[in-house]
Amino acid sequence: TFKQIRLVDFAGAGDVTNLSGEANLLASGLVKGNSAFMDLRAILNAHGIDDAHIPAKLEGMAFGEDVIVNGVLEHTLYVGNDNDFLSTAPGGLNNPNQWYVFGLSDADLAGLGITTFQNQAMAPIPEPSTYAALLGLAVLGFAFWRRRVTAAC
């Protein structure tokens, strides 16, 4: 079955914000033929995980912390599944949520034409929760200050 991560180039894509209908969307969409980044099925099979034990839905993906493996800097790529809260998969196999972690060196990424993290093309994005927490604290502080000023009057 098809278990690939594909590279997608948005350079040729059009703005589809105000479009509807398949024909209009296809005319402005991405150019087909984008290349495979990783064939997850082949990699997992090569590491002893047979097709029956590869989850049907590998849906989550994120880059994690960089690590040093045998003296080489590797960027970790986490890939996870969604088991839809089903304890067993078709065929009666256990169906837990699973995470697979892959290590990609700068050389691996350069071979695919991807600029490395150090060049900031794939720089980490700050967590919005940090800013949301600060905004929430500011709102609470203002509310308490306003309440104290109103009570003093």
Side-chain angles (χ1 to χ4, degrees), residues 50-57 81-84 86-96:
D50 63 36
D51 289 347
H53 289 90
I54 297 174
K57 295 166 50 178
N81 75 312
D82 176 6
N83 71 355
D84 291 330
L86 300 173
S87 60
T88 57
L93 296 171
N94 286 336
N95 191 35

Side-chain angles (χ1 to χ4, degrees), residues 83-109:
N83 71 355
D84 291 330
F85 303 105
L86 300 173
S87 60
T88 57
L93 296 171
N94 286 336
N95 191 35
N97 282 320
Q98 299 177 57
W99 287 97
Y100 302 96
V101 183
F102 301 92
L104 301 164
S105 69
D106 286 340
D108 294 332
L109 296 175

Side-chain angles (χ1 to χ4, degrees), residues 8-119:
V8 178
D9 184 357
F10 288 97
D15 183 0
V16 297
T17 304
N18 297 314
L19 296 179
S20 63
E22 183 178 356
N24 292 330
L25 291 170
L26 288 175
S28 295
L30 297 172
V31 177
K32 293 187 180 197
N34 292 300
S35 60
F37 174 59
M38 292 175 70
D39 185 341
L40 298 175
R41 178 179 176 240
I43 294 168
L44 294 173
N45 286 168
H47 286 85
I49 301 172
D50 63 36
D51 289 347
H53 289 90
I54 297 174
K57 295 166 50 178
L58 294 171
E59 298 177 332
M61 182 173 39
F63 277 101
E65 292 292 322
D66 290 346
V67 297
I68 303 292
V69 178
N70 297 325
V72 176
L73 175 73
E74 292 196 2
H75 311 289
T76 57
L77 176 64
Y78 292 84
V79 177
N81 75 312
D82 176 6
N83 71 355
D84 291 330
F85 303 105
L86 300 173
S87 60
T88 57
L93 296 171
N94 286 336
N95 191 35
N97 282 320
Q98 299 177 57
W99 287 97
Y100 302 96
V101 183
F102 301 92
L104 301 164
S105 69
D106 286 340
D108 294 332
L109 296 175
L112 294 165
I114 300 173
T115 305
T116 65
F117 285 69
Q118 286 78 12
N119 291 333

